[in-house]
Amino acid sequence: MSSHHEVEMESLISSPNLVSTPLFISDIDELQKPIFEITSPLQPSRQRRITIKVLLDIALFVILLATGLWLFANVGRSLLLKSFGDAFLITGIMLAILSIWLVLTGASMFRKINLLKLIAALIVLIIGLSLILMGNKENQLAVGYALFATALLILITKFFFLIEDEQIRIERLERELKKAKQSAGMGMALSYFYNFIVPTAANIRSMAEGHTPIDMEVSRGKFEEYQLTTDQLFVIVPRDLDGSDMKVFLKNVSSSPNPSVIQGKPKERPGNDTHRPMFVYFLEWDPAKKECDGLFDIPTIISACWDRRKHGKNDQHDTVNITDEIMIFQNQLLSLINEHPITYGKVRILSFPSLPFRFSDIKYVVTQLAHGAALE
């Protein structure tokens, strides 16, 4: 009984630290060595720099507000309430109309923020109505003025000031595109996806189609047919590199006489997206039943980040941030997987601490996810 309890305690202690996908890399506590599935793009840091343009916009707002309050300094209470009421009413009507129009016709990805804008506009509108009622003034003129001013605002913003904002946005996108073209992570993701992920996923049958036949390399150059019991391919990505040779690492853990993993090739099936099957790795295999499970791959292509960094140490114009490049690699790979009909729902990305991995951790996480357990 005590032996069984010790085994349970050892298993609990050695279990990997599973967490949900963080939003920012800066939120990851590497001391705890968390493992998580990449289900949404990662961002470098939650810190946001305030641009000069934003500061200028704030300065303009403060100047206009202070000037307006100074002009109201010698106005009577009744007229002051009416003036403020008209201002809030006009502003609320204009914002409400524009926000409703954005909700109805704007891009779906901004729908949530547009609804928040609408709520803020309604609050301003209610404040305006309250101030006008306190001043016992008619507001028909203010409503008419608000509608007229809204029409003029649309004309001005559509054909004047927003053109400049659009130019700034295009300039920013061009800078991002230039950076993406120079990124090693972007190119590696495209190469890895189309040269390995797509053809491999195309050869993996879905569970509705039956088990995928695997040519398993049971010994050097000798193959036997196994059946893959799941239809998921897991991509294991380390968050950092220390110069370790990833190919040598994989070769060592798959070598006889006591391999931690075994290699095999999914049998090719007809299709435009398939070609000569490539070796993949399996965490579990049963020689008696001829079954295998835990299909995964570690993209050794990302070791090029370390090579580029090593050779570019003396070049200030070619500095490589490995963590950023891996983040770009993961984000681009996630986007490609979710957009392609062959890989969507079949390929999953797991983020692990740097090498060397404990394959017991990989086995635990892959088993949990392959059998439908969610990361809390």
Side-chain angles (χ1 to χ4, degrees):
M1 181 63 110
S2 60
S3 175
H4 177 68
H5 179 69
E6 289 176 1
V7 171
E8 285 186 341
M9 286 298 294
E10 183 180 352
S11 175
L12 183 62
I13 294 172
S14 62
S15 295
N17 182 21
L18 305 181
V19 299
S20 57
T21 306
L23 293 176
F24 304 95
I25 289 182
S26 56
D27 291 339
I28 302 173
D29 185 356
E30 292 295 353
L31 293 177
Q32 298 297 324
K33 297 188 175 183
I35 299 169
F36 51 87
E37 181 179 5
I38 302 294
T39 57
S40 58
L42 287 171
Q43 302 298 325
S45 174
R46 64 171 61 251
Q47 296 179 354
R48 296 182 179 179
R49 293 181 298 175
I50 300 178
T51 63
I52 295 178
K53 185 178 183 302
V54 172
L55 290 175
L56 291 175
D57 290 340
I58 294 174
L60 177 61
F61 170 76
V62 172
I63 291 171
L64 292 175
L65 185 64
T67 304
L69 291 174
W70 176 73
L71 292 173
F72 277 127
N74 298 320
V75 175
R77 180 179 179 278
S78 178
L79 183 58
L80 185 64
L81 284 175
K82 181 184 184 305
S83 299
F84 271 95
D86 288 347
F88 273 92
L89 182 65
I90 292 169
T91 303
I93 291 174
M94 293 170 64
L95 292 177
I97 292 173
L98 295 176
S99 299
I100 291 172
W101 190 248
L102 284 174
V103 170
L104 295 176
T105 63
S108 58
M109 66 181 296
F110 297 111
R111 184 174 180 82
K112 185 178 294 185
I113 188 66
N114 288 335
L115 287 172
L116 292 175
K117 290 179 181 179
L118 177 57
I119 293 172
L122 293 176
I123 293 174
V124 174
L125 183 60
I126 291 172
I127 293 174
L129 288 173
S130 301
L131 291 174
I132 286 179
L133 290 175
M134 289 172 62
N136 296 319
K137 299 293 183 181
E138 296 289 336
N139 57 13
Q140 183 176 352
L141 182 62
V143 173
Y145 178 79
L147 297 177
F148 185 75
T150 303
L152 292 178
L153 180 63
I154 292 174
L155 176 67
I156 293 171
T157 56
K158 286 293 183 183
F159 295 99
F160 289 91
F161 296 107
L162 282 188
I163 293 177
E164 181 182 359
D165 290 343
E166 186 70 13
Q167 290 173 351
I168 293 174
R169 188 181 71 85
I170 292 173
E171 186 179 26
R172 176 178 55 79
L173 290 175
E174 287 180 346
R175 288 197 303 268
E176 292 178 356
L177 178 60
K178 183 179 179 180
K179 181 179 178 182
K181 287 181 177 179
Q182 295 174 342
S183 167
M186 182 72 70
M188 289 186 297
L190 291 169
S191 176
Y192 181 68
F193 180 76
Y194 287 107
N195 293 326
F196 175 78
I197 294 291
V198 171
T200 300
N203 285 327
I204 299 173
R205 281 70 165 168
S206 66
M207 296 308 295
E209 297 173 304
H211 294 166
T212 301
I214 304 293
D215 286 330
M216 194 69 73
E217 189 175 33
V218 293
S219 60
R220 183 73 174 177
K222 181 182 178 181
F223 296 86
E224 293 181 2
E225 183 171 311
Y226 277 58
Q227 300 294 320
L228 178 63
T229 57
T230 56
D231 58 359
Q232 301 280 307
L233 168 62
F234 292 92
V235 179
I236 311 297
V237 183
R239 288 190 291 275
D240 201 359
L241 300 174
D242 60 358
S244 301
D245 193 318
M246 300 175 70
K247 292 182 180 180
V248 172
F249 174 71
L250 281 170
K251 182 179 179 180
N252 290 338
V253 298
S254 60
S255 299
S256 299
N258 297 311
S260 301
V261 298
I262 192 171
Q263 295 185 81
K265 298 183 291 186
K267 282 187 177 292
E268 183 180 6
R269 62 176 179 174
N272 295 331
D273 292 293
T274 64
H275 54 66
R276 180 179 59 84
M278 289 171 284
F279 277 105
V280 287
Y281 297 92
F282 301 87
L283 292 166
E284 295 181 347
W285 62 97
D286 188 335
K289 296 182 179 179
K290 294 294 187 290
E291 292 180 349
C292 55
D293 199 355
L295 171 62
F296 78 97
D297 185 66
I298 297 177
T300 56
I301 188 174
I302 63 174
S303 60
C305 288
W306 178 266
D307 296 335
R308 183 175 172 184
R309 175 181 173 180
K310 181 175 62 176
H311 294 298
K313 279 185 176 180
N314 299 324
D315 187 354
Q316 294 181 351
H317 301 287
D318 191 28
T319 56
V320 177
N321 187 315
I322 293 179
T323 303
D324 285 351
E325 293 296 345
I326 292 177
M327 180 197 68
I328 294 171
F329 173 84
Q330 289 180 153
N331 289 347
Q332 178 64 19
L333 190 61
L334 176 68
S335 176
L336 292 168
I337 289 171
N338 289 338
E339 292 173 1
H340 202 291
I342 289 178
T343 57
Y344 178 73
K346 187 180 288 186
V347 183
R348 304 166 80 168
I349 307 173
L350 299 180
S351 178
F352 270 68
S354 60
L355 290 171
F357 298 141
R358 290 193 313 174
F359 269 90
S360 59
D361 291 352
I362 295 181
K363 185 173 182 179
Y364 176 83
V365 176
V366 168
T367 301
Q368 294 293 309
L369 292 175
H371 294 87
L375 295 181
E376 295 295 338

